[in-house]
Amino acid sequence: MQELLMKYSGKIDFIDLKVVDINGRLRHVMLPGDRLDDSLFSEGVGFDASNFGYAAVEDSDMIMVPDPDTAFIDPFYEASTLSFLCDLIKTSDGKPFMQYPRNVLKSAVGKLESIGAAEAIFGPELEFHIFEGVSYDVATNGAGYRVEVSEGYWNSGILSNETRVDQKAGYHRCPPADSMAEFRNEVVLTLNKLGVPVKYHHHEVSSAQHEIELLFQKAVSSADSIVISKYVLQNLAYRHGLTVTFMPKPLFAEAGNGMHVHQFLRDSSERNLFSGDEYFGLSSVALSYTAGILFHSLSGSLLAFGNPSTNSYRRLVPGFEAPICAVFARGNRSAAVRIPGYVKDPAKARIEYRTIDASCNPYYGMAAMLCAGIDGVKQKMNPSEMGFGPIESNIYNLSEEERKSIRFFPSDLKAAINGLVEDNIYLEDTFPGDLISRWTVLKEKEIKYVNSVPSPAEFKLYYDL
């Protein structure tokens, strides 16, 4: 703490305190730079948390306390500004507010001790689209959206010097087809300056689709990095006259955006607990952890936090390497849990959960994923005995008879929320009951709204009946 104060005291104009709301969007408040002293980290700043979705109006006075380990000079202000991510504490007793997303994930990490682990290590892949323009509107007499990007294959009939990216043909394209490579370079350079570790970046499968993969970090730091990455992408896009979306399915008939999470557990001596002598170098702990994730995804409960938007289920459909069935495998991208085939070092043994997407609040999504895995280890679940594979064939190319043994995840948000209501015991002591109730009410409201709006596709199908 003292080192931080010595480094920045008297050298900054403003302090920016950032918190996330229930959906994972950043909110902030700014203070004059001379407020940077010990009292800021002990007393924090009070605010009304009822506007953020996770606190009742009658008990909404909270205090945001900056985490000194998250400090960075914010590149998006002209004045010298020191930014922090914050934790929330209650004014009533000074204890952490356990519905706050960051605190929920910290609680999930704390449960690792019960299975002999000390830390969860996550490496997320952020997929997103970059558009040159977007419009959308919902009114009584009309509804619609439109996105535009020069490289879109739908523009191939327009006379232009732009390079087009054919349908589903964008994976690892080089410039000039990859027209946003320099923009991603700028994003990655900025992230590195802010302490967000990047593995690599590239063009993805869809027109206008891109990926930035992050290096492994401890669970809370990994979720923090996702939040900061979104912040950087959205602000740099704005500066360049672009717009970025992490929507799971912004384009019809194109690949959608997931947020695959590579992960493993380690003990207090930093030994990888997923390394072993069983299936493709995994341990029994890793296999039970995998079974827990698949089991609670199959009920829909995990999807309720990991795929929490109605748009999530536009992505989770056959035909796009969609991870929609309770299957694990080595290298098979149609499986929900994949064991990367390119990993040869036992110390780096891991699994990749492919169903989750970045419309989730990363703290809630990762906490639910972790709780599901912990439950699998506690219950000594065996994925093969539970019928989860391994299956190495492309699931969508199997015969109808072969596919009868495969179980598929819920195909809409309503089914996922119903699953959460029925299957939430494994979340106890991490997700407070009031938070699950608030989440359920919030998502049912979203479902009702989306389902009440006629879509252009319905006009196409039914208008002249």
Side-chain angles (χ1 to χ4, degrees), residues 115-148:
I115 59 170
E119 192 58 74
I121 308 298
F122 293 153
E125 301 177 5
L126 296 176
E127 295 177 341
F128 52 93
H129 280 73
I130 303 173
F131 297 129
E132 292 158 22
V134 60
S135 64
Y136 47 86
D137 185 49
V138 176
T140 300
N141 65 329
Y145 69 92
R146 187 173 184 83
V147 299
E148 200 51 77

Side-chain angles (χ1 to χ4, degrees), residues 382-403:
N382 184 305
S384 295
E385 292 178 0
M386 298 171 75
F388 297 149
I391 294 178
E392 295 302 338
S393 303
N394 186 332
I395 291 163
Y396 306 114
N397 291 338
L398 297 178
S399 67
E400 288 297 321
E401 188 63 31
E402 291 173 317
R403 291 179 64 181

Side-chain angles (χ1 to χ4, degrees), residues 368-431:
M369 184 175 62
L370 195 51
C371 288
I374 291 171
D375 187 53
V377 176
K378 283 184 174 181
Q379 304 297 331
K380 296 183 178 179
M381 295 181 184
N382 184 305
S384 295
E385 292 178 0
M386 298 171 75
F388 297 149
I391 294 178
E392 295 302 338
S393 303
N394 186 332
I395 291 163
Y396 306 114
N397 291 338
L398 297 178
S399 67
E400 288 297 321
E401 188 63 31
E402 291 173 317
R403 291 179 64 181
K404 285 182 180 179
S405 62
I406 296 173
R407 288 165 291 173
F408 290 82
F409 298 152
S411 58
D412 59 67
L413 182 57
K414 178 60 176 174
I417 293 299
N418 289 343
L420 175 63
V421 172
E422 297 296 325
D423 174 30
N424 58 54
I425 294 176
Y426 74 102
L427 298 172
E428 285 184 348
D429 304 322
T430 297
F431 286 80

Side-chain angles (χ1 to χ4, degrees), residues 65-79:
V65 179
D67 181 343
D69 292 335
T70 68
F72 64 90
I73 294 296
D74 199 307
F76 300 110
Y77 295 106
E78 290 187 14

Side-chain angles (χ1 to χ4, degrees), residues 150-330:
S150 298
E151 72 177 50
Y153 65 88
W154 52 86
N155 291 323
S156 60
I158 300 174
L159 187 63
S160 168
N161 64 355
E162 299 286 349
T163 302
R164 314 302 187 193
V165 176
D166 290 339
Q167 189 174 17
K168 301 183 185 180
Y171 189 65
H172 282 201
R173 290 295 298 272
C174 286
D178 183 10
S179 60
M180 293 294 172
E182 285 290 356
F183 171 78
R184 295 196 312 272
N185 279 344
E186 185 178 354
V187 171
V188 170
L189 288 172
T190 304
L191 290 175
N192 283 337
K193 289 178 182 177
L194 303 188
V196 176
V198 175
K199 182 178 180 181
Y200 53 58
H201 67 83
H202 59 83
H203 199 292
E204 257 294 346
V205 172
S206 164
S207 292
Q209 187 185 28
H210 307 267
E211 177 178 304
I212 295 177
E213 184 168 343
L214 305 183
L215 289 170
F216 283 108
Q217 294 177 277
K218 294 180 180 180
V220 176
S221 294
S222 184
D224 289 345
S225 289
I226 292 170
V227 170
I228 296 303
S229 295
K230 284 187 169 185
Y231 177 70
V232 169
L233 274 160
Q234 289 163 348
N235 276 277
L236 282 179
Y238 180 77
R239 283 187 173 182
H240 285 275
L242 302 168
T243 180
V244 167
T245 183
F246 290 84
M247 281 180 65
K249 193 74 168 184
L251 295 179
F252 170 63
E254 274 281 24
N257 294 316
M259 189 183 71
H260 308 161
V261 180
H262 296 252
Q263 57 200 282
F264 62 93
L265 305 181
R266 64 187 187 193
D267 63 18
S268 56
S269 64
E270 298 191 354
R271 179 173 62 95
N272 186 344
L273 297 178
F274 276 18
S275 180
D277 299 323
E278 300 201 29
Y279 181 71
F280 286 108
L282 293 183
S283 65
S284 58
V285 169
L287 292 175
S288 292
Y289 183 98
T290 295
I293 284 179
L294 293 173
F295 177 78
H296 293 294
S297 296
L298 191 60
S299 74
S301 179
L302 176 51
L303 273 60
F305 285 109
N307 304 87
S309 67
T310 58
N311 190 250
S312 296
Y313 301 86
R314 312 287 194 213
R315 166 182 170 251
L316 297 179
V317 296
F320 297 89
E321 292 186 358
I324 59 175
C325 46
V327 167
F328 78 107
R330 180 182 183 271

